[in-house]
Amino acid sequence: MQTSNNYNRSRYRLGIWFTAPAVIVLLIVLAYPIIASLVLSFLKVRFGGDGLTFAWHGVTNYTDLFTNQLFREALFRSVYFTVVEVAAVIFLALSVALMLNHPLGRSAFYRVVLLVPWALSPVANAVLWKWIYNANYGILNQSLIGLGLIKENIIWLGTPWLALNMILIADVWKAVPFIALLMLAGLQNIPSYLYKAARLDGANAWQQFVHVTLPGLKTTLVISVVLQSIWALKVFDLIYVLTKGSPADSTVLLNYLSWRETFSNLDVGYGAAIANVLFILMFMLALVYIRALRPRQTAQRDG
Amino acid sequence: MPRYLTQFFIRFGLIAFTLLSLGPVVWSVVTSLLPLSALTSKPPDLNPLNITLENYSLVLDSSRGLFSGLVNSLIIATFTAAVGLVIGSMAAYALARLNMPSSNKILMMILATQMFPGIVIAIPLFLVMSRTRLVDTHFGLIVVYLSFILPIVIWILKGFFESVPMELERAAAVDGASPIQTFRYIVLPISLPPLFATGVFAFIEAWNEFFFAIILTRINVKTASIAIAEFSGQYQTLYGQMLASAVLASIPVVALAIIFRRFILEGFAEGAIKA
Amino acid sequence: MATLELINIHKKFGDFVAVEGVNLRVEEGEFVTLLGPSGCGKSTLLNMTAGLEDVTSGEIRINGKVVNQLGPFERDVAMVFQNYALYPHMTVEENIGFSLQLRKRPRTEIQDKVQKVASMLELEKFLHRLPRELSGGQQQRVAIGRAVIREPSIFLFDEPFSNLDAALRLKTRGEIKELHQRLGVTSIFVTHDQEEALSLSDRIAVLRLGRLEQFGTPEEVYSKPASKYVAKFIGTPQMDLFAGEFVEGGYQIGSVKIALPRSLKTANTPVDVGIRAEFVTLGDTGFDAAIRLVQPVGPFTYVTVDWDGGSATARVNGVSHLKPKETIKVDINPNGLLFFDRNSEKRLDLV
């Protein structure tokens, strides 16, 4: 059996000391609540004058969920929102990344342009769109009337479906920059000799895109889709500021619903059950993400 | 497609991209500088003579809560970044270099935690923190923020520490440095730029956070994000002031992002696609 | 100064066996090279000696004392690394003085010693520069200075020249040899360059796939290689090897029979024969062969010739005017022949 010398032993010991604080924090703030959330979802929790009371509730929270009209609608809308949002973000981000990777778009100015919406506080972003969408004085209505495209103001956030899609646009605007950054990094990782070789073989721009760019971006694309799906499922700030779920609950998505059930309606167990459904959806996406990253890891040793 | 046509499309695309990205931001800055009367006239009165800082002075009035929100955000984001950097850099170094068993699996778990919806941990945390009286305290919020800051910090810094040549650490070992001295005198000093930039990134994330803040704060530690959101609900017809508060809350983070763009562009974006 | 003993050293990385049963004893003040291609375990062996890597089994002794449990610093060894491994954020002075600083020596003592080392290595002018402001050769000297200031009992060198260009490599090689002659400190040097090994070492340890193939003086490994592997690895150009057979009065290589002295012992296994270029002469005597390749290298020209069923390279002094496809007479000096067991590849002493 191999025994370590003093130096390697002290490295190992230091490794344990160095990881301990992070592990403790993550255990307390992540691991415990995740388990507790599972337990809570089987309980009926009541806020009384003397604090909280817990009672065993079995799977009722979950059966309630799937018979509940609002939950089913929220689930459907979440899926709709995620699919459309991710498709739009990926398409736009890829276009932006390709432009910024082109010699004409290499200027540092465009990188800064990319960072501004990304760094913007999400609530500030929501307020900004609330103002743009404002039915009476918003720039959107004013511009469209000015251009003669519409005759009278549209109440963007007051109409079911339309409101959801307007939220979606605001979310896409905020999300594109980061995914574009990822793709830009991915594009820059594709060795330039591959393009040279493709050109020597007579490939045109489209063929280069299909046979060099897309395969080279495969991992980045998978990661982008997964990350963006997770973020789209989490959308909250925009709904909170723009509509609070109105009109007629038509902008209630899963994350918002779970929050509202727990903290407004104080049905903690039911809220936790919704959260867990969301959790399962995201966890499956997380597994895809981890799988996409894994083949990159290769063992290293010297000669 | 002929070359000039491609160039035309790309130039056109770049202009559209710039306008669409900056337009809303510019429009909100303009709005924040105009009096309500100018904004509610049709079309909006953009006469530069109307420009005023009145909206800013009004929203910074202490009764509106924005100023204390900015202070709270500063405290919380600074501590989150600082503590996250200290704890995170240690863990990242251990995972990168100190022969931790199955450090890859640990890292994957840390990454997976990043994928949890906040609501899952928010509900139990709220219950625990209510009982321990941590709701509506700086400390409570900082600890919760660490849960999503730490994984990112560890992830970015691990990648960087791995790029520090192994031989430097071996040279230090032969020179008589203990592992902790190697970390203190060799690894940390040469990692200052990424450490600093990672700290900035953590600061931005903590500053911008909204979801936990709305659940775990009441009165005392309302952050800037909460203040803006409440403002936009309460005074939703004071458009100029609403936007002025949004601009105020965004200036620090947008400025930091622009100042540290090089690292964010090169280091962070690449980190996400390389484990 | 110290002796170093490696006793039955094994090293495994998971299932991969990097070093397998190496035994080596380095005498006081000796300069020993670990030589072999990448993957032969030479760097692993050096790292284990330094205490940077743990041994899986076996014993490392310095001055007779088992040091397996000791960390690098406690072993009193100093090491020069492949890429210099200078601390990029420290000046030359701080780089060289770092080990003394860690030992909390007084500031004046550190300054004195750094000064002394710097003047020995002609680095005085650069003391306040950062490594990135130095040339490759200067960086190399700082790395050596950092090792020298420790006054260690053993120097370890891990391919220290691999980042230098050819000219600088030769110069630095000379400097290291001088340094060793001056300080006389026991030194272990790792390289994959056989010429470097031959020119620097008192003894060379040739490694192959984690095993010690031969341990001997440069003269021994060159003239009496223990195996085909060593014979091929050492010497320029590579030794020619023939899978011919013994016949009455000689050794048959294709159409050519090389006459052998009668005193030769016979072997009871098939035997391969090796010959170095300096024992192959071109000229008026011998057998006919066709010239395939003429490679001038300055003081010599290497001429490769073919005959039916065989081929050999000859070393000709100076510049040769021979042309490919010409026919020439070739003579092989039987005294230069080396015999190898075809199955075990070990050298046979048949003379």
Side-chain angles (χ1 to χ4, degrees):
Chain A
M1 184 56 210
Q2 172 166 332
T3 52
S4 291
N5 69 37
N6 296 342
Y7 177 71
N8 285 333
R9 257 204 310 277
S10 63
R11 273 166 69 88
Y12 185 74
R13 265 202 308 271
L14 188 69
I16 292 172
W17 283 114
F18 266 21
T19 27
V23 169
I24 290 170
V25 169
L26 293 176
L27 279 180
I28 294 174
V29 199
L30 281 174
Y32 161 74
I34 287 164
I35 295 164
S37 166
L38 191 67
V39 175
L40 277 177
S41 68
F42 295 106
L43 301 177
K44 187 85 193 168
V45 185
R46 281 182 206 289
F47 288 83
D50 50 343
L52 296 167
T53 52
F54 300 93
W56 182 249
H57 206 46
V59 292
T60 319
N61 285 325
Y62 289 96
T63 50
D64 282 356
L65 266 188
F66 290 97
T67 52
N68 182 297
Q69 176 77 10
L70 182 56
F71 171 78
R72 282 188 309 202
E73 281 174 18
L75 179 62
F76 171 73
R77 276 194 293 265
S78 278
V79 171
Y80 164 82
F81 186 90
T82 304
V83 170
V84 177
E85 202 256 17
V86 170
V89 168
I90 296 293
F91 174 75
L92 290 172
L94 184 58
S95 315
V96 169
L98 285 171
M99 287 194 299
L100 297 200
N101 199 40
H102 189 275
L104 286 174
R106 293 264 163 90
S107 142
F109 169 76
Y110 295 117
R111 267 64 175 172
V112 174
V113 171
L114 210 51
L115 284 177
V116 172
W118 170 71
L120 208 64
S121 134
V123 177
N125 176 49
V127 168
L128 157 80
W129 288 95
K130 185 171 182 168
W131 170 229
I132 289 175
Y133 291 159
N134 185 293
N136 293 319
Y137 309 110
I139 188 92
L140 185 58
N141 273 335
Q142 305 239 26
S143 312
L144 292 177
I145 289 176
L147 291 169
L149 291 173
I150 55 173
K151 289 216 172 57
E152 53 191 50
N153 287 339
I154 294 178
I155 304 168
W156 299 105
L157 297 174
T159 321
W161 272 115
L162 184 60
L164 186 66
N165 287 311
M166 295 322 278
I167 291 177
L168 199 148
I169 290 172
D171 200 38
V172 168
W173 183 83
K174 180 89 174 79
V176 163
F178 185 78
I179 299 295
L181 281 182
L182 285 190
M183 293 194 178
L184 200 53
L187 285 175
Q188 278 157 5
N189 279 345
I190 300 175
S192 60
Y193 64 79
L194 287 181
Y195 289 100
K196 248 178 235 165
R199 272 198 299 276
L200 287 177
D201 286 344
N204 61 30
W206 174 250
Q207 286 168 324
Q208 285 176 41
F209 177 75
V210 171
H211 295 291
V212 180
T213 310
L214 279 186
L217 270 186
K218 205 177 131 207
T219 313
T220 311
L221 278 169
V222 173
I223 289 166
S224 301
V225 168
V226 174
L227 280 180
Q228 194 52 47
S229 309
I230 288 169
W231 290 331
L233 282 170
K234 278 192 198 178
V235 67
F236 180 82
D237 340 48
L238 279 168
I239 300 173
Y240 184 90
V241 172
L242 289 181
T243 63
K244 291 224 159 56
S246 68
D249 284 344
S250 68
T251 55
V252 170
L253 303 188
L254 281 185
N255 204 26
Y256 191 82
L257 181 64
S258 172
W259 173 82
R260 201 171 71 177
E261 291 300 336
T262 311
F263 295 100
S264 290
N265 301 345
L266 300 180
D267 195 345
V268 176
Y270 186 58
I274 302 171
N276 288 339
V277 171
L278 195 59
F279 172 42
I280 290 165
L281 285 177
M282 290 198 192
F283 191 73
M284 290 188 303
L285 288 167
L287 288 181
V288 177
Y289 178 80
I290 288 169
R291 179 144 302 175
L293 282 176
R294 193 161 281 166
R296 295 271 180 125
Q297 304 190 338
T298 46
Q300 282 180 354
R301 53 168 302 272
D302 59 353
Chain B
M1 196 157 36
R3 196 180 164 75
Y4 67 89
L5 211 58
T6 316
Q7 299 229 337
F8 170 79
F9 274 118
I10 287 173
R11 276 181 211 281
F12 179 79
L14 285 169
I15 291 168
F17 156 69
T18 309
L19 287 180
L20 285 173
S21 295
L22 295 186
V25 178
V26 171
W27 177 235
S28 44
V29 173
V30 169
T31 302
S32 72
L33 293 169
L34 292 175
L36 197 59
S37 57
L39 294 169
T40 51
S41 58
K42 289 188 183 185
D45 182 2
L46 295 179
N47 187 343
L49 290 175
N50 286 335
I51 285 180
T52 167
L53 288 174
E54 193 192 33
N55 291 325
Y56 287 93
S57 61
L58 282 173
V59 293
L60 283 174
D61 186 291
S62 59
S63 63
R64 293 281 170 74
L66 180 65
F67 184 76
S68 63
L70 289 169
V71 172
N72 282 327
S73 284
L74 182 68
I75 294 172
I76 291 166
T78 306
F79 273 93
T80 304
V83 177
L85 217 47
V86 171
I87 300 183
S89 65
M90 288 173 9
Y93 181 65
L95 291 175
R97 280 295 157 79
L98 293 178
N99 310 326
M100 290 301 291
S102 64
S103 65
N104 268 338
K105 274 183 202 141
I106 296 176
L107 195 72
M108 281 300 165
M109 274 164 56
I110 288 177
L111 270 183
T113 62
Q114 197 61 20
M115 315 290 172
F116 294 133
I119 187 76
V120 167
I121 65 170
I123 298 171
L125 272 180
F126 174 76
L127 297 181
V128 170
M129 289 173 73
S130 306
R131 260 178 280 176
T132 50
R133 295 169 188 276
L134 283 171
V135 170
D136 208 21
T137 62
H138 290 121
F139 178 79
L141 213 50
I142 290 167
V143 172
V144 173
Y145 283 4
L146 281 178
S147 74
F148 65 88
I149 290 297
L150 267 180
I152 307 176
V153 169
I154 292 174
W155 189 19
I156 303 177
L157 288 181
K158 178 183 173 265
F160 182 78
F161 289 148
E162 275 169 350
S163 74
V164 172
M166 192 67 183
E167 288 197 332
L168 276 186
E169 297 184 38
R170 299 190 147 179
V174 173
D175 269 348
S178 67
I180 199 160
Q181 283 173 321
T182 306
F183 183 60
R184 166 74 189 76
Y185 295 117
I186 309 295
V187 178
L188 280 187
I190 64 178
S191 310
L192 280 181
L195 277 173
F196 201 60
T198 310
V200 166
F201 182 81
F203 183 93
I204 294 177
E205 290 285 305
W207 177 280
N208 282 345
E209 210 285 330
F210 178 67
F211 185 67
F212 286 110
I214 202 155
I215 293 171
L216 298 173
T217 65
R218 287 286 169 271
I219 305 143
N220 296 326
V221 296
K222 272 183 190 163
T223 62
S225 289
I226 303 278
I228 319 173
E230 286 186 347
F231 191 100
S232 79
Q234 266 171 3
Y235 308 98
Q236 47 182 318
T237 49
L238 299 177
Y239 308 113
Q241 295 184 36
M242 197 167 93
L243 270 299
S245 53
V247 169
L248 274 177
S250 294
I251 286 174
V253 279
V254 171
L256 283 172
I258 292 175
I259 294 168
F260 290 93
R261 63 181 175 276
R262 231 196 83 224
F263 176 79
I264 293 170
L265 291 172
E266 288 167 18
F268 185 70
E270 286 217 13
I273 53 174
K274 280 185 205 151
Chain C
M1 264 190 280
T3 58
L4 168 70
E5 290 161 273
L6 304 180
I7 299 159
N8 201 22
I9 300 292
H10 286 76
K11 175 70 182 180
K12 281 184 190 171
F13 294 98
D15 288 337
F16 178 81
V17 182
V19 173
E20 205 176 357
V22 167
N23 284 287
L24 207 64
R25 186 188 156 85
V26 179
E27 302 300 336
E28 249 183 57
E30 213 178 3
F31 196 114
V32 166
T33 299
L34 306 179
L35 175 68
S38 64
C40 73
K42 57 189 190 303
S43 286
T44 307
L45 214 49
L46 194 76
N47 285 334
M48 287 192 287
T49 307
L52 293 167
E53 207 105 59
D54 291 315
V55 298
T56 306
S57 69
E59 254 178 33
I60 299 177
R61 292 186 192 178
I62 294 177
N63 269 338
K65 193 179 135 224
V66 179
V67 295
N68 285 30
Q69 292 299 309
L70 301 184
F73 185 63
E74 302 159 301
R75 295 186 186 190
D76 196 20
V77 298
M79 190 155 170
V80 176
F81 292 85
Q82 193 166 15
N83 302 309
Y84 325 125
L86 301 181
Y87 312 125
H89 59 298
M90 296 187 192
T91 62
V92 169
E93 185 175 17
E94 290 165 334
N95 260 286
I96 297 178
F98 186 58
S99 59
L100 300 178
Q101 223 174 350
L102 287 171
R103 273 188 279 179
K104 305 241 174 343
R105 309 305 306 173
R107 183 176 297 255
T108 49
E109 184 195 320
I110 299 178
Q111 274 176 345
D112 283 355
K113 282 197 169 173
V114 169
Q115 204 66 45
K116 244 171 67 187
V117 170
S119 74
M120 181 174 98
L121 294 164
E122 295 167 21
L123 284 169
E124 300 110 310
K125 278 185 288 181
F126 311 115
L127 281 179
H128 299 292
R129 292 212 194 157
L130 290 174
R132 64 165 176 274
E133 299 163 340
L134 300 177
S135 72
Q138 288 159 351
Q139 291 185 20
Q140 176 69 60
R141 292 212 296 280
V142 177
I144 292 171
R146 200 169 56 181
V148 168
I149 198 165
R150 296 264 315 278
E151 297 172 14
S153 47
I154 301 181
F155 275 130
L156 304 172
F157 297 91
D158 189 6
E159 311 214 24
F161 306 148
S162 52
N163 277 2
L164 301 178
D165 60 47
L168 204 52
R169 195 179 284 213
L170 271 179
K171 181 166 172 277
T172 318
R173 197 159 93 187
E175 284 169 3
I176 293 230
K177 188 144 192 174
E178 262 186 65
L179 189 78
H180 180 249
Q181 282 165 3
R182 176 139 45 124
L183 304 176
V185 177
T186 311
S187 301
I188 314 292
F189 188 99
V190 161
T191 183
H192 59 265
D193 182 332
Q194 50 96 15
E195 196 185 307
E196 227 164 77
L198 290 173
S199 66
L200 281 170
S201 318
D202 293 319
R203 279 194 293 171
I204 299 174
V206 185
L207 291 158
R208 177 195 194 182
L209 298 174
R211 289 169 170 278
L212 185 62
E213 193 82 0
Q214 186 173 11
F215 185 36
T217 62
E219 157 68 14
E220 281 165 353
V221 292
Y222 184 79
S223 315
K224 293 182 175 167
S227 64
K228 264 205 235 180
Y229 172 81
V230 178
K232 278 196 286 192
F233 199 76
I234 302 235
T236 314
Q238 205 178 62
M239 177 182 281
D240 286 310
L241 284 155
F242 306 101
E245 56 183 335
F246 281 112
V247 292
E248 182 61 38
Y251 188 83
Q252 189 80 34
I253 306 164
S255 58
V256 168
K257 184 174 101 178
I258 302 171
L260 295 176
R262 293 222 170 274
S263 57
L264 209 65
K265 280 180 270 183
T266 51
N268 33 16
T269 54
V271 170
D272 288 350
V273 149
I275 186 88
R276 291 209 185 272
E278 56 265 39
F279 294 101
V280 181
T281 46
L282 306 180
D284 310 324
T285 57
F287 57 90
D288 282 336
I291 296 173
R292 169 156 46 102
L293 203 58
V294 180
Q295 302 180 81
V297 292
F300 311 113
T301 303
Y302 299 124
V303 181
T304 307
V305 295
D306 286 337
W307 66 90
D308 188 13
S311 161
T313 298
R315 195 181 79 186
V316 179
N317 279 328
V319 179
S320 162
H321 298 289
L322 297 168
K323 294 267 180 312
K325 291 185 183 154
E326 287 176 357
T327 302
I328 195 161
K329 290 230 182 288
V330 180
D331 197 16
I332 291 177
N333 181 349
N335 295 322
L337 290 181
L338 295 170
F339 301 98
F340 299 95
D341 183 319
R342 188 170 297 162
N343 300 321
S344 72
E345 306 209 330
K346 297 284 173 225
R347 190 169 58 83
L348 299 167
D349 237 339
L350 298 181
V351 187

